[in-house]
Amino acid sequence: MAKRENISMSVIRRLPRYYRFLKHLQEKGIHRISSTELSVKLGLTASQIRQDLNCFGGFGQQGYGYIVDQLCEEIGAILGLEKGYKAILIGAGNLGQAIASHMKFQNNGFQLIGIFDSSPFKIGNSLNGISIQDIRQLETFCQQKQPAMAILCIPREAAGEISNQLYELGIRYFWNFSHYDIAVKYPDTVVENVHLNDSLMTLCYRINDLEEKGKE
Amino acid sequence: MAKRENISMSVIRRLPRYYRFLKHLQEKGIHRISSTELSVKLGLTASQIRQDLNCFGGFGQQGYGYIVDQLCEEIGAILGLEKGYKAILIGAGNLGQAIASHMKFQNNGFQLIGIFDSSPFKIGNSLNGISIQDIRQLETFCQQKQPAMAILCIPREAAGEISNQLYELGIRYFWNFSHYDIAVKYPDTVVENVHLNDSLMTLCYRINDLEEKGKE
DNA sequence: TAGATTGTTAATCGATTAACAATC
DNA sequence: TAGATTGTTAATCGATTAACAATC
């Protein structure tokens, strides 16, 4: 892991997929793999895979291929999966609950240390061993624990205000599930959006397209 | 809405965002908008927006801009949001429950008509007015109701088998939340993946990258 | 050594941006 | 008519693919 300079988002978004697939190979006990084999399984070109990996260094052996264990570990390190950045979750509705109990944060570079909601019906309950706190505790909590990342599982209307508040409290990284594009007002901010509605609409478009082509 | 021929995924993925933002303008009672104004709000170039829209037709008026209501409706129609494709959800765990109760399918081109799980503790319960059925009812149900799309909220291990079964039952469209890339074995299939782990890892990478640049 | 497969450079392809004529 | 803004063509930029020398 060396080079790394202005890697494009296209490359970055493929890394977790490589990682996931390599983990899978690892579990199957496979020791070595070539870029060609990988390309077939992943539906990419071998050339692209080699290009991608060489953004970070030469992990392969000429004439041999890549050692699964080693490559997997390298990509994990590139992604920073061992960092355990402290994260809090805002909004313990259905989606928030699903995220809190479903995601293995520790495998993905984070550590969930707090959950907040405003509803008295939710405050005090536990999710995945973490009790839901009153959103009014947010300030004190952040001052004490200094989380780096916030997961936003809140309605569109609340997202603008809450994200501002979180920024004031020192949070710079956001995993945003609200149907709202957090204004990228600040350059030291990273926002990763998961817009489920957009995803569903995209699927709808593609279905439509295919159905119409089918008619012709 | 006319042209439409081999639109690139880059364009398609921006459409929901346009739609979402136009809906928002509509609610605020804004009647007209120019590509330049849009570009500022969305963080894109005006040129790109005009290019994107002109894949489907000329919706603007020279010297004036776009009429919000009209453009919004056009994009809605392009996406096919009124289609109401029949969808079923497989897996009523935390995530499945969140999807079932959180998503407004009817606004996004679909209609949720069935939920399936294998756990006796879940079968019989209701989510959003739809009762959870035994997965063993799947075949009969599909033969009768002919759903077009399936939402996969199941573990990785189950995804391969279930997606095959669903294909056999005539389902061609998948919204896939399982940590598994459904093999695109068949050309008449559309798979929209939502890989939350990948998204989280990508965020981790970007945080890392920013933190390291900060140190320099 | 011969065969295989990487790392890397060069060529191609596609997507974004810029420019401007058309026109409301 | 003058000003504004689109639709569209041309130029640029970036990402993907192809090719091949390096080397295990």
Side-chain angles (χ1 to χ4, degrees), chain B residues 8 10 14 45 47-48 50-51 61-63:
Chain B
S8 79
S10 323
R14 280 191 293 269
T45 63
S47 213
Q48 180 167 62
R50 293 203 300 276
Q51 284 278 28
Q61 266 173 260
Q62 278 156 327

Side-chain angles (χ1 to χ4, degrees), chain B residues 37-162:
Chain B
E37 289 172 88
L38 266 175
S39 73
V40 172
K41 308 277 186 157
L42 293 172
L44 304 170
T45 63
S47 213
Q48 180 167 62
I49 294 173
R50 293 203 300 276
Q51 284 278 28
D52 284 356
L53 297 178
N54 282 309
C55 290
F56 304 98
F59 303 132
Q61 266 173 260
Q62 278 156 327
Y64 180 78
Y66 300 88
I67 294 166
V68 173
D69 285 349
Q70 188 205 319
L71 187 56
C72 191
E73 192 170 340
E74 291 280 8
I75 298 180
I78 290 164
L79 287 165
L81 303 184
E82 82 295 348
K83 299 280 171 149
Y85 293 114
K86 284 183 271 185
I88 57 175
L89 188 149
I90 317 290
N94 273 304
L95 187 60
Q97 287 178 37
I99 300 295
S101 38
H102 178 264
M103 295 296 299
K104 300 205 177 86
F105 288 100
Q106 63 283 14
N107 292 349
N108 297 304
F110 296 91
Q111 188 191 348
L112 184 63
I113 62 167
I115 305 176
F116 296 85
D117 202 293
S118 60
S119 157
F121 299 104
K122 285 175 191 147
I123 295 164
N125 291 351
S126 263
L127 285 175
N128 219 2
I130 300 167
S131 79
I132 302 173
Q133 297 180 61
D134 192 325
I135 188 78
R136 284 173 293 187
Q137 303 293 317
L138 189 59
E139 187 168 348
T140 319
F141 185 92
C142 288
Q143 281 157 0
Q144 282 175 10
K145 300 287 177 67
Q146 310 235 334
M149 189 270 265
I151 307 164
L152 303 182
C153 295
I154 51 182
R156 191 201 159 87
E157 308 78 65
E161 197 188 332
I162 291 267

Side-chain angles (χ1 to χ4, degrees), chain A residues 63-134:
Chain A
Y64 180 78
Y66 300 88
I67 294 165
V68 172
D69 284 350
Q70 189 206 319
L71 187 56
C72 191
E73 192 169 341
E74 291 280 8
I75 297 181
I78 290 164
L79 287 165
L81 301 185
E82 82 295 348
K83 299 279 173 152
Y85 292 115
K86 284 183 271 186
I88 58 175
L89 188 150
I90 318 287
N94 273 303
L95 188 60
Q97 288 178 37
I99 300 295
S101 39
H102 178 263
M103 296 295 299
K104 299 203 178 87
F105 288 100
Q106 63 281 14
N107 291 348
N108 297 304
F110 296 91
Q111 187 190 351
L112 184 63
I113 63 167
I115 305 176
F116 296 86
D117 201 293
S118 59
S119 157
F121 299 105
K122 283 174 193 148
I123 295 164
N125 290 352
S126 263
L127 284 176
N128 219 1
I130 301 166
S131 79
I132 303 174
Q133 298 180 61
D134 191 325

Side-chain angles (χ1 to χ4, degrees), chain A residues 8 10 14 45 47-48 50-51 61-63:
Chain A
S8 79
S10 322
R14 279 191 294 268
T45 64
S47 213
Q48 179 166 64
R50 293 203 301 274
Q51 283 277 28
Q61 265 174 261
Q62 279 157 325

Side-chain angles (χ1 to χ4, degrees), chain B residues 164-214:
Chain B
N164 279 333
Q165 192 192 350
L166 289 164
Y167 186 89
E168 295 297 324
L169 291 168
I171 291 180
R172 295 291 175 270
Y173 312 127
F174 297 90
W175 199 25
N176 176 40
F177 287 80
S178 76
H179 309 313
Y180 173 82
D181 290 300
I182 296 181
V184 190
K185 296 168 202 154
Y186 314 103
D188 56 347
T189 278
V190 178
V191 180
E192 171 78 11
N193 289 301
V194 181
H195 289 311
L196 295 181
N197 280 312
D198 290 19
S199 171
L200 197 51
M201 289 189 220
T202 303
L203 177 58
C204 187
Y205 175 94
R206 292 165 65 197
I207 293 175
N208 251 314
D209 201 47
L210 196 66
E211 299 258 320
E212 268 168 38
K213 271 179 195 145

